[in-house]
């Protein structure tokens, strides 16, 4: 087997434009001797060196079922004000599992069950951040007469009540010593005030104007050194008489607020900060007023400023002033800003900052605040572990170790991974193994434990542990990649290809596609290599390969030179063949190639979105749907794509409206197909089945390409198949449920004498397809 790998020195991206491409010998005739010599021994070691799996900054309990059961039980019995925190914990559990839809559902529940307006604004902002990239949904929802409430700014002025601020004494029973009118001199101005009304604003003012102080007998009091202007003092006088603030500038209101804070005028302070809250309309307003609010303890004003800042996530975290506000807030200031929801706030800020740059000083400061805000054991486990992971990534090993240790002691078993890595970095692999062995001996071992243990072993022992890790958790990527890389080092490229195909059969991972790309190059199968790099570009257009040194687009150009170009007709035939054989990665590649020249881009982007959904890539699928909408050739086609966008984001009824609007313009296969899907999901009534069957039959009467027609025939047969005890709806729910179990399941179906009629066979085909393509490790046997 000839070697076709990249030398370390030649992998620089600057070499891509030099001729010939000596580092990638693809000169149509194969590999030259000089290139083969240059790509020997050391280069393969460089390419196939697998990086260690990352220490994940997630909440990873030892028993997911147990923790989810605990949360469910606590939700049923806990006070209403604790539910949002439990849903936040549930969100963290699902995030650790990689379940994007379930984690978002938990976040939605936290927003719905929020007991304070501070929690409402935090989880509302979090939902908006999670839906970044889906801004078009707001437009589509509004076109259906529906608005997304989580995108609305909350009205703090009307929703927060501070109670009554009356003095609580009988004005008529008190006899004031001085005159009924008191004048306040501010430089050259004299402001007349009702002594009794002004004294009623606060206890300190009452003591000053009717107590044992000299001012009680004065008719003129000098207020020039108290930071209040004549305009502000006149407004305070009017407020004491009417209880309402006149219309003034923000600067004047700030003066009054400062006066109210000095003299403890609660009613005046409340009125001033409510008025100032209405002035907060931009990020700079929020920054300026937040500093004042935190200094003076104005909770309503602070919350209004916070809402504006969170509404601009993640962009606002690029502003040093915003970061300083969140990073420097002490416990009392956090209480003013966000009440008792400090942990939720810093959970959100940390999540956003880690996704941008997990090693930045900003991330570190937010995580330190998260640790300070943690109140119970589970919150401390998460906060300590995440801070430890950031310290570890920054190579602050001395600071990371006590944090991992504290998280582990608090009950976060997964933090032992961080402790083992740090021990190994000090050159003590034996102690790292002892740490892991002590954990594994105390409970039923998990897949990640064997994966981690393998890092500190060599030879057969390492492979045995990785095989055990795959057996316990087939979704772990590292064991497959290591085994494939080991096989390639031994020149067993076909065996390496089989190994990497094991995981690509049920889990699409860019790194695995890249490794398979290298396998195909070694086999000189340039067409298959092109297929994989085009699939990579579909999922991540800016992806960089070979350790991030080379853009995938440039690799594609080089491989493309060695592949015979296909005509449009050839591409359509390839697409049909690959679609029929459920080769989704191959279909993605063909569509990528067709999009470069085909004029019917709307249809192609739509097909692309279907494949990406089958491959469990919802974000990429949504991008394709948006592009399909942009390139729609007609109004009825655009309405169909908009309907699928709404349907895929959980708005079934609105998707149904779009389907009906499209049908009203032109009856089409896709519109009826969408309507059938949306109706099936929006109604659980048994009678709906007949309507769905009718819609699918209408779809089959409409023109369509053979790809979707075949899918429609299978679905029509399945909906019509009522003789089986397994109803289609129940099967779909069952499949979605067992897919979450993440373990191999063997499904056996037995039919009486073992004979299957056509409809039963079609049903089994669909069931097999769903199991194989949606769930890892499934097989189906017909007995």
């Amino acid at each position: 087997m000839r070697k076709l790998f990249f030398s370390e020195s030649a992998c620089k991206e600057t070499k891509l434009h030099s001729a010939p491409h000596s580092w990638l010998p693809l000169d149509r005739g194969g590999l030259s001797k000089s290139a083969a010599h240059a790509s020997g021994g050391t280069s393969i070691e460089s390419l196939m060196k697998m990086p260690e799996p990352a220490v994940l900054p997630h909440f990873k309990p030892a028993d997911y079922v147990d923790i989810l059961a605990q949360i469910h039980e606590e939700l049923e019995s806990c006070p209403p004000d604790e539910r949002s925190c439990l849903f936040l914990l549930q969100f963290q559990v699902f995030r650790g599992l990689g379940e994007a839809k379930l984690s978002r559902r938990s976040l939605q529940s936290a927003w719905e069950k929020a007991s304070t307006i501070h929690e409402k604004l935090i989880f509302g902002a979090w939902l908006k951040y999670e839906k970044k990239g889906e801004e078009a949904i707001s437009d589509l929802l509004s076109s259906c007469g529906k608005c997304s409430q989580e995108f609305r700014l909350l009205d703090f002025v009307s929703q927060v009540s501070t109670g009554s601020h009356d003095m609580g004494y009988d004005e008529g029973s008190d006899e004031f010593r001085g005159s009924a009118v008191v004048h306040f001199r501010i430089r050259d101005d004299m402001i007349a005030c009702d002594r009794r009304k002004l004294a009623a604003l606060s206890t300190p003012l009452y003591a000053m104007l009717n107590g044992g102080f000299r001012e009680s007998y004065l008719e003129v009091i000098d207020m020039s050194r108290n930071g209040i202007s004549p305009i502000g003092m006149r407004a305070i006088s009017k407020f004491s008489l009417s209880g309402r603030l006149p219309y003034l500038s923000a600067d004047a209101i700030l003066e009054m607020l400062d006066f109210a804070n000095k003299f403890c005028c609660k009613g005046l302070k409340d009125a001033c900060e409510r008025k100032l809250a209405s002035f907060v309309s931009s990020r700079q307003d929020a920054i300026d007023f937040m500093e004042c609010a935190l200094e003076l303890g104005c909770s309503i004003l602070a919350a209004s400023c916070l809402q504006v800042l969170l509404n601009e996530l993640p962009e606002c975290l690029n502003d040093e002033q915003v970061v300083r506000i969140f990073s420097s807030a002490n416990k009392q200031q956090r209480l003013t800003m966000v009440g008792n929801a400090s942990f939720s706030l810093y959970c959100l800020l940390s999540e956003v900052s880690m996704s941008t740059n997990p090693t930045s000083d900003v991330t570190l400061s937010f995580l330190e605040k998260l640790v300070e805000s943690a109140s119970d054991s589970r919150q401390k486990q998460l906060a300590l572990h995440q801070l430890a992971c950031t310290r570890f990534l920054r190579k602050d090993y001395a600071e990371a170790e006590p944090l991992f240790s504290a998280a582990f002691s608090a009950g976060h078993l997964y933090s032992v991974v961080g402790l083992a890595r740090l021990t190994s970095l000090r050159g003590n692999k034996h102690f790292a193994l002892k740490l892991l062995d002590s954990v594994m001996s105390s409970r039923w071992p998990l897949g990640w434990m064997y994966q981690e243990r393998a890092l500190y072993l060599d030879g057969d022992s390492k492979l045995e542990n990785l095989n055990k890790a795959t057996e316990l958790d087939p979704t772990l990527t590292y064991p497959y990649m290591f085994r494939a890389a080991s096989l390639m080092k031994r020149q067993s490229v076909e065996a390496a290809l089989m190994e990497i195909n094991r995981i690509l059969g049920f889990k699409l991972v860019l790194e695995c596609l890249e490794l398979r790309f290298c396998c195909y190059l070694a086999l000189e199968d340039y067409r298959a290599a092109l297929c994989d790099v085009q699939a990579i570009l579909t999922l991540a257009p800016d992806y960089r390969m070979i350790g991030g040194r080379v853009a995938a687009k440039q690799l594609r150009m080089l491989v493309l030179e060695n592949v015979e170009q296909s005509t449009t007709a050839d591409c359509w035939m390839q697409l049909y063949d690959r679609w029929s054989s459920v080769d989704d990665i191959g279909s993605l590649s063909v569509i990528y190639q067709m999009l470069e020249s085909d004029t019917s881009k709307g249809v192609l982007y739509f097909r692309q979105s279907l494949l990406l959904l089958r491959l469990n890539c919802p974000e990429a699928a949504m991008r394709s749907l948006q592009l399909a909408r942009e390139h729609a050739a007609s109004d009825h086609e655009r309405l169909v794509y908009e309907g699928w966008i709404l349907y895929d984001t959980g708005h079934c009824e609105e998707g149904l409206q779009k389907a009906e609007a499209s049908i009203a313009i032109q009856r089409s296969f896709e519109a009826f197909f969408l309507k059938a899907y949306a109706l099936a999901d929006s109604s659980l009534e048994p009678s709906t089945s007949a309507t769905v069957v009718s819609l699918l039959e209408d779809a089959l009467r409409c023109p369509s390409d053979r790809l979707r027609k075949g899918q429609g025939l299978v679905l029509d047969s399945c909906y019509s198949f009522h003789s089986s005890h397994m109803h289609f709806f129940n099967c779909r729910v069952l499949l979605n449920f067992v897919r979450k179990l993440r373990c191999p399941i063997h499904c056996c179906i037995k039919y009486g004498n073992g004979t299957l009629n056509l409809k039963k066979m079609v049903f089994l085909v669909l069931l097999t397809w769903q199991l194989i393509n949606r769930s890892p490790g499934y097989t189906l046997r017909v007995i």
Side-chain angles (χ1 to χ4, degrees):
M1 181 61 59
R2 296 189 298 179
K3 297 176 182 178
L4 185 54
F5 298 104
F6 314 101
S7 63
E8 181 82 23
S9 61
C11 279
K12 307 291 186 185
E13 192 170 345
T14 54
K15 297 284 185 181
L16 285 170
H17 301 289
S18 62
H21 305 300
S22 59
W23 66 276
L24 182 57
L26 299 171
D27 300 328
R28 292 191 183 274
L31 180 63
S32 66
K33 290 183 180 180
S34 59
H37 177 74
S39 60
T42 56
S43 59
I44 185 171
E45 291 291 331
S46 172
L47 182 64
M48 293 295 101
K49 185 178 180 181
M50 289 294 106
E52 292 182 345
V55 183
L56 301 175
H58 301 311
F59 182 66
K60 292 177 71 68
D63 190 333
Y64 282 101
V65 174
D66 181 60
I67 190 69
L68 288 172
Q70 285 181 28
I71 294 171
H72 183 78
E73 186 176 356
E74 291 175 29
L75 282 169
E76 291 184 337
S77 57
C78 72
D81 60 347
E82 296 179 10
R83 287 179 184 167
S84 59
C85 289
L86 285 170
F87 280 118
L88 176 57
L89 177 64
Q90 190 182 70
F91 164 84
Q92 297 291 355
V93 173
F94 286 136
R95 179 58 61 92
L97 274 170
E99 293 290 348
K101 285 188 177 181
L102 292 176
S103 60
R104 184 177 291 186
R105 188 181 67 182
S106 297
L107 207 57
Q108 182 78 24
S109 298
W111 177 75
E112 291 171 355
K113 302 298 181 182
S115 60
T116 68
I117 196 165
H118 296 101
E119 289 179 339
K120 202 79 171 177
L121 81 88
I122 291 170
F123 291 119
W126 204 332
L127 281 169
K128 182 181 178 182
Y129 169 73
E130 288 286 322
K131 294 181 179 182
K132 281 287 182 182
E134 297 182 10
E135 286 81 0
I137 295 174
S138 298
D139 300 334
L140 292 178
L141 287 174
S142 62
S143 70
C144 297
K146 181 178 179 181
C147 294
S148 186
Q149 295 185 39
E150 55 262 33
F151 292 159
R152 294 179 179 174
L153 293 178
L154 300 174
D155 181 6
F156 278 87
V157 175
S158 62
Q159 294 194 40
V160 177
S161 174
T162 55
S164 175
H165 302 298
D166 293 338
M167 281 290 296
Y169 63 85
D170 185 359
E171 294 183 29
S173 63
D174 291 326
E175 184 176 334
F176 278 72
R177 295 178 175 84
S179 61
V181 177
V182 60
H183 293 81
F184 289 93
R185 183 172 62 234
I186 301 174
R187 293 179 291 278
D188 297 331
D189 289 277
M190 297 287 288
I191 296 95
C193 300
D194 186 300
R195 183 186 294 267
R196 185 182 295 273
K197 294 291 184 180
L198 196 66
L201 291 179
S202 71
T203 301
L205 283 177
Y206 179 81
M208 183 182 77
L209 297 175
N210 194 42
F213 294 95
R214 184 168 60 90
E215 287 83 359
S216 300
Y217 303 95
L218 294 177
E219 293 185 8
V220 177
I221 300 173
D222 189 358
M223 293 288 286
S224 300
R225 298 181 180 180
N226 281 277
I228 189 77
S229 66
I231 294 176
M233 197 65 221
R234 288 191 183 92
I236 292 171
S237 177
K238 292 178 180 178
F239 179 83
S240 69
L241 296 171
S242 65
R244 293 189 299 273
L245 286 177
Y247 180 80
L248 293 170
S249 67
D251 289 338
I253 301 293
L254 281 169
E255 286 182 7
M256 296 171 65
L257 180 62
D258 186 51
F259 177 92
N261 193 63
K262 285 179 181 177
F263 292 97
C264 303
C265 306
K266 293 182 180 180
L268 177 61
K269 182 179 180 180
D270 178 61
C272 287
E273 65 172 303
R274 286 173 184 268
K275 177 67 75 173
L276 286 173
S278 65
F279 285 98
V280 182
S281 58
S282 68
R283 183 194 303 176
Q284 193 57 51
D285 290 338
I287 292 169
D288 295 339
F289 288 126
M290 178 68 88
E291 293 175 351
C292 173
L294 295 180
E295 181 182 347
L296 301 179
C298 302
S299 57
I300 296 175
L301 179 58
S304 296
C305 296
L306 176 66
Q307 180 173 224
V308 171
L309 296 178
L310 295 185
N311 194 54
E312 293 188 15
L313 287 174
E315 292 80 8
C316 72
L317 295 187
N318 295 323
D319 192 319
E320 293 181 0
Q321 293 176 292
V322 175
V323 172
R324 187 179 68 250
I325 288 172
F326 292 130
S327 300
S328 61
N330 58 35
K331 185 176 181 179
Q332 183 58 46
Q333 289 173 332
R334 294 198 300 269
L335 186 65
T336 298
M337 180 167 53
V338 76
N340 293 320
S342 182
F343 183 81
S344 300
L345 170 64
Y346 285 98
C347 257
L348 167 59
L349 295 175
S350 302
E351 186 86 20
V352 175
S353 187
M354 282 192 292
S355 66
T356 305
N357 184 354
T359 62
S360 67
D361 292 338
V362 175
T363 300
L364 188 65
S365 65
F366 290 161
L367 287 171
E368 287 172 345
K369 292 297 180 184
L370 185 67
V371 172
E372 291 179 21
S373 305
S375 57
D376 60 41
S377 174
R378 292 180 298 206
Q379 289 181 353
K380 289 176 182 176
Q381 290 177 38
L382 171 66
L384 288 166
H385 179 72
Q386 288 189 333
L387 179 56
C389 288
T390 292
R391 287 288 190 187
F392 182 79
L393 286 175
R394 289 164 59 98
K395 298 184 179 181
D396 300 335
Y397 299 137
E399 293 84 357
E401 187 167 14
L403 292 167
F404 277 127
S405 182
F408 180 71
S409 300
H412 194 244
L413 207 63
Y414 179 72
S415 293
V416 74
V417 171
L419 292 173
R421 297 284 177 94
L422 291 168
T423 303
S424 176
L425 285 171
R426 292 197 297 267
N428 196 344
K429 290 187 176 182
H430 178 69
F431 188 69
L433 280 171
K434 285 185 65 176
L435 270 174
L436 290 163
D437 288 342
S438 65
V439 170
M440 295 169 74
S441 63
S442 65
R443 56 160 288 110
W444 185 264
L446 301 172
W448 63 260
M449 297 178 185
Y450 280 101
Q451 174 179 271
E452 188 64 24
R453 195 173 186 275
L455 301 182
Y456 315 111
L457 297 169
D458 298 304
D460 292 340
S461 297
K462 187 183 191 77
L463 286 173
E464 286 174 9
N465 277 264
L466 289 176
N467 292 338
K468 187 66 176 178
T470 299
E471 179 185 335
L472 293 173
D473 187 353
T475 65
L476 293 173
T477 304
Y478 177 78
Y480 297 95
M481 296 187 68
F482 182 87
R483 287 190 293 262
S486 299
L487 289 166
M488 288 189 74
K489 288 176 183 178
R490 298 199 295 268
Q491 302 301 305
S492 302
V493 185
E494 291 88 350
L497 190 60
M498 291 177 62
E499 179 63 35
I500 208 67
N501 282 340
R502 289 176 61 195
I503 188 168
L504 285 175
F506 66 86
K507 184 179 182 181
L508 188 60
V509 183
L510 290 175
E511 291 80 3
C512 293
L513 268 179
E514 180 180 347
L515 187 56
R516 193 170 76 171
F517 168 82
C518 296
C519 291
Y520 282 134
L521 286 186
L523 293 171
E524 299 182 29
D525 188 348
Y526 303 138
R527 184 170 291 280
L530 180 65
C531 170
D532 280 351
V533 76
Q534 288 184 161
I536 287 172
L537 288 168
T538 300
L539 292 164
D542 298 323
Y543 188 76
R544 301 181 68 82
M545 301 170 71
I546 319 301
R549 293 180 294 236
V550 185
K553 289 180 180 178
Q554 292 172 294
L555 279 178
R556 175 183 176 268
M557 290 172 61
L558 293 175
V559 177
L560 193 59
E561 294 175 3
N562 296 266
V563 178
E564 186 177 349
Q565 296 296 310
S566 301
T567 65
T568 302
D570 291 335
C571 287
W572 275 108
M573 288 302 297
Q574 290 176 35
L575 182 58
Y576 176 74
D577 290 341
R578 293 179 181 277
W579 198 292
S580 301
S581 61
V582 201
D583 179 8
D584 292 340
I585 294 175
S587 298
L588 280 179
S589 174
V590 177
I591 289 177
Y592 183 93
Q593 188 172 342
M594 294 171 70
L595 282 168
E596 293 184 334
S597 57
D598 203 292
T599 55
S600 56
K601 293 187 186 297
V603 173
L604 289 173
Y605 277 122
F606 179 59
R607 295 290 181 271
Q608 192 179 77
S609 72
L610 297 175
L611 291 166
L612 290 166
L613 280 177
R614 278 210 317 231
L615 290 166
N616 197 26
C617 302
E619 293 182 1
M622 183 57 65
R623 286 198 304 269
S624 295
L625 270 178
Q626 298 284 13
L627 289 168
R629 181 193 181 197
E630 292 174 16
H631 291 86
S634 61
D635 286 342
H636 77 271
E637 186 180 321
R638 177 182 52 79
L639 287 166
V640 169
Y641 302 150
E642 290 178 350
W644 281 112
I645 290 172
L646 291 164
Y647 173 83
D648 286 342
T649 51
H651 302 284
C652 293
E653 294 181 2
E654 288 71 28
L656 193 60
Q657 291 179 31
K658 293 291 183 181
E660 290 170 346
S662 179
I663 292 170
I665 298 173
Q666 180 177 322
R667 294 167 64 87
S668 68
F669 175 89
E670 296 296 354
F672 279 114
F673 208 62
L674 167 61
K675 187 174 180 180
Y677 259 80
L679 184 62
D681 271 5
S682 60
S683 175
L684 297 178
E685 294 295 327
S687 59
T688 305
S689 296
T691 307
V692 170
V693 169
S694 175
L695 288 169
L696 288 171
E697 290 172 348
D698 287 338
L700 294 172
R701 295 189 191 101
C702 298
S704 179
D705 60 67
R706 296 172 67 189
L707 303 179
R708 296 285 276 170
K709 207 82 164 186
Q711 189 177 359
L713 283 167
V714 171
L715 283 175
D716 185 30
S717 299
C718 291
Y719 271 101
S720 303
F721 179 37
H722 295 294
S723 59
S724 170
H725 292 294
M726 295 184 294
H727 192 273
F728 180 82
F729 292 124
N730 294 333
C731 287
R732 185 182 57 205
V733 172
L734 176 63
L735 290 174
N736 287 335
F737 174 75
V738 297
R739 183 164 57 88
K740 305 300 179 187
L741 297 179
R742 293 178 173 271
C743 59
I745 292 179
H746 299 274
C747 179
C748 302
I749 302 177
K750 184 174 182 179
Y751 284 98
N753 59 5
T755 60
L756 300 175
N757 63 25
L758 178 60
K759 286 187 175 181
K760 290 181 180 179
M761 182 62 75
V762 170
F763 180 83
L764 287 179
V765 167
L766 177 70
L767 185 60
T768 305
W769 177 81
Q770 292 230 20
L771 287 171
I772 291 174
N773 288 281
R774 300 275 182 157
S775 311
Y778 286 97
T779 60
L780 184 140
R781 294 176 291 168
V782 179
I783 304 173

